[in-house]
Amino acid sequence: MLKDVYAFAKRYGLAPAKNCKDKKLAAYVVLSENGQYSHIEVIDKQSRVPIPCPDIGTYSFQAKCSNPIAEKKGFIFPVLQENAEIPSKHVAWMQIMEDGAEHVPILKIVYRYLSQVETDAKIKSQLQNEFNSVKIKDADFISFRVGNIYLPDDTSWISWFNQYVDENYAKNTDAKYIVSSITGQTVESIPEKGAPMVNASATGTGVYPITIGEPAFESYGMEKNLGANIGLNEDKMISAGLEYLLKNGTNYNNNFGIIHWYEEEVEEDIIADSIDSSMDEGLEDRLNAMFSGNTSPDRALRRSKYYISRFSVPTKGRMFLSEMHIGIYNELCRNLLKWYQDSTIEVKTFDKETKQWITSKQCIKKIFQIFFSLISTSSSHVNQLTYTDKLNAVDHEFGTAKTELLYNIYDGKQIPKIFLRKAIERFAKDLTLDQRVNYTAVKIIHVYQERSQRMEDAGTKAYACGQMFAVYEQIQLASNDWKEVGNGITQRYFIAVQRTPQSIFPEIANLSVAHLNKIKNIGTKNFYRAQLGKIAEKIGSEFPKRFTDEEKGEFILGYYVQRNSYLKDKTENSNNNEEEK
């Protein structure tokens, strides 16, 4: 798993520059080109981004060592504090800046000003007052700007600094060496202090992607914790790769807690499009075009791998990667297109302006539409929840099944059964309580049945039972009997008939006889009797004793399709018939 991250970071050159480390600078002390103090340039907290600064590595943790160019304000200017002791860190700062001043002209300007602050009370007071006014803390990292040149961005000091590190710190007699599990080469092990960290908003104050051992570390997220020998430079590469993925909103999704990347650059990031809660409505059309021959990405690119990994920070300072998922870009696109095809159903809605029923085909284009539609509470209550509360409810109800659903969509596999059960429950609850159809629940059931490969339309008893229930419902509506009893057979029996169809259906059938007798139109009566007879042939001599989860789904689909057929024109079959006298 870490090897894949390492390969990604190395391929795209994400490792930090030699002898550099990213830091968030809070301010710059601005000097003129001849070294005169100008002002303090403060960086707004929201605008502080990590930038590479010179770093001597693990030695910087020692009291008598310091990094040049950019350091903590308290180490650079301890003299600004009243009666403050001069720390050894400051002495080390002045020494390394003095060495730099002998080799780099711009550092000579800065060092001369630093020396003036040390000896000139007026200059010291001026700087002290301004730092107090801008509220820069001693723990904040600061640097210098000379004219228009920001020292961290300058390149004139690089050669000097690399040579300085090689001469003073390269020979680490305490270093341990291991054989890398990634490259097979002999490499320097990660020291106890100063291991690379990943710093991103998702990691809080920063985390270690690898836990230090003696002399190696463990890679987490596998079936068992396995020892993995990883060297210092490899750890830097892995940390850089993870940091890049976690800082890029395209490669990291907080709601799923996953990171993803591709083996090669792709023209379109299908994963980001499919995860986003506001998915691009045109994605399905683009996928269709890809496989219809209208557009044809390079075949080699289509064979490019994609990687997805779960990411979590369960404890402070540590991070875990788990559930690595690897697939092929071409198959990912094909399986997403299959998802749209499997989830497509016909929907009829009434247009109040034209006063007619409109038929359209709808599919699940937004994955969060699934979760929000299946939360176990009333639809009206769900609509009142904030987006954050909805997400919390989804995590509570679905847990790891949420990510499992995503992976199964990408692989073209059957969706987790919990979504079928939730869809059945949601559909029945909305239909009986709110007297409305939850279309997303129907689509989920349809996806499950399509991928189970165990049914054709009207091919099972359960499906036929759903059709018959829809006919019974329409018979009652045509009789106007529901107005007298206050609610219809759907509200009274829909849930019960799925539990024990063999005992409930005869009761509904008896009620239907009374409802048919109240219908005055002979043509309408005959129409419904014919439909009942045709459907009864599919059911046979007796109703099932009970339904499995799959059969409950078939029952709902049969009911939905039959009910939908009546919405197009409720009176189509009775307009020209003579009314019974």
Side-chain angles (χ1 to χ4, degrees), residues 32 45 147 198 262 321 360 363 371-373 398 426 428 442 482 490 541 559 563 579:
S32 67
K45 285 187 178 181
V198 175
Y262 298 92
L321 297 178
S360 64
C363 63
F371 305 127
F372 294 161
S373 295
F398 296 102
R426 181 79 269 162
V442 179
W482 62 275
T490 303
S541 59
Y559 166 80
R563 180 181 185 271
E579 190 176 68

Side-chain angles (χ1 to χ4, degrees), residues 441-475:
V442 179
K443 295 171 195 173
I444 285 292
I445 295 170
H446 187 258
V447 168
Y448 194 93
Q449 302 298 358
E450 283 290 316
R451 297 187 176 203
S452 68
Q453 298 180 343
R454 64 184 295 269
M455 72 161 287
E456 296 178 359
D457 284 355
T460 66
K461 274 192 177 185
Y463 188 95
C465 286
Q467 288 181 298
M468 181 165 282
F469 192 94
V471 178
Y472 286 149
E473 178 188 68
Q474 291 301 313
I475 291 172

Side-chain angles (χ1 to χ4, degrees), residues 201-216:
S201 58
T203 65
T205 56
V207 293
Y208 296 100
I210 298 168
T211 302
I212 301 171
E214 284 289 342

Side-chain angles (χ1 to χ4, degrees), residues 468-469 472-473 475 489 493 497 501-517 532 543:
M468 181 165 282
F469 192 94
Y472 286 149
E473 178 188 68
I475 291 172
I489 62 168
Y493 294 106
V497 77
Q502 194 174 78
S503 62
I504 300 297
F505 259 114
E507 185 177 343
I508 303 174
N510 289 333
L511 288 173
S512 185
V513 172
H515 296 153
L516 270 172
N517 290 334
L532 288 174
F543 292 98

